[in-house]
């Protein structure tokens, strides 16, 4: 997997978002085991502490959980995954609409453009 990071935000938040996308898109399925912190850090070419911070936040929001001997697992709670998927979609739509309004598009014009594509 290709990890891409921008300079505008902390790496751990970008890691968190990218892992969230992998979960809600189905790349990581409910109940799957996540790669280890070291493996993720090596793959993403970042410090293991940065990965740890992102995974801790994913645990806090309930997308992953730790099993003492098995590492971190993706939640089996598909409603939680759907809830986060909907929230991420809502955030993207809000950002898109805001950007389009800054360009001078009306709500009707935005809808027409979306229907076109």
């Amino acid at each position: 997997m290709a990890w891409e990071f921008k300079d505008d935000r902390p790496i751990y938040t970008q890691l968190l978002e990218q892992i969230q996308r992998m979960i809600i898109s189905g790349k990581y399925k409910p109940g799957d085991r996540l790669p280890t912190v070291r493996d993720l850090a090596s793959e993403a070419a970042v410090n293991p502490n940065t990965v740890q911070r992102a995974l801790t936040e994913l645990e806090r929001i309930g997308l992953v959980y730790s099993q003492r001997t098995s590492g971190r697992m993706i939640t089996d709670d598909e409603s939680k995954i759907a809830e986060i998927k909907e929230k991420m979609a809502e955030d993207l739509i809000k950002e898109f609409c805001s950007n389009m309004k800054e360009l001078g598009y009306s709500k009707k014009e935005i809808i027409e453009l979306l229907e076109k594509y």
Side-chain angles (χ1 to χ4, degrees):
M1 123 189 40
W3 296 89
E4 293 181 27
F5 303 108
K6 298 179 182 173
D7 293 333
D8 62 341
R9 294 176 302 130
I11 299 293
Y12 88 93
T13 60
Q14 295 177 67
L15 271 171
L16 182 143
E17 290 167 355
Q18 289 182 41
I19 295 169
Q20 273 183 329
R21 282 193 177 106
M22 288 180 222
I23 294 169
I24 65 174
S25 71
K27 181 177 181 342
Y28 292 132
K29 308 239 182 291
D32 278 359
R33 184 176 172 268
L34 276 174
T36 66
V37 169
R38 284 181 192 238
D39 289 344
L40 284 171
S42 175
E43 191 177 305
V46 298
N47 187 301
N49 292 332
T50 304
V51 173
Q52 179 66 38
R53 187 170 179 189
L55 293 177
T56 298
E57 182 62 18
L58 287 169
E59 279 188 50
R60 190 191 67 72
I61 62 176
L63 272 183
V64 301
Y65 62 95
S66 293
Q67 279 194 329
R68 191 169 222 200
T69 58
S70 301
R72 286 191 173 90
M73 312 292 283
I74 306 300
T75 183
D76 289 323
D77 185 353
E78 292 186 27
S79 66
K80 182 68 172 175
I81 294 170
E83 173 189 323
I84 290 173
K85 183 177 186 175
E86 187 173 327
K87 172 75 171 95
M88 287 181 78
E90 184 181 307
D91 291 345
L92 288 171
I93 290 167
K94 284 179 181 177
E95 181 180 354
F96 170 76
C97 288
S98 175
N99 289 335
M100 294 301 285
K101 286 178 182 176
E102 285 180 16
L103 292 175
Y105 284 94
S106 69
K107 184 177 178 180
K108 182 180 179 193
E109 291 171 323
I110 295 170
I111 292 169
E112 288 171 359
L113 280 172
L114 286 171
E115 288 173 344
K116 180 180 176 182
Y117 290 99

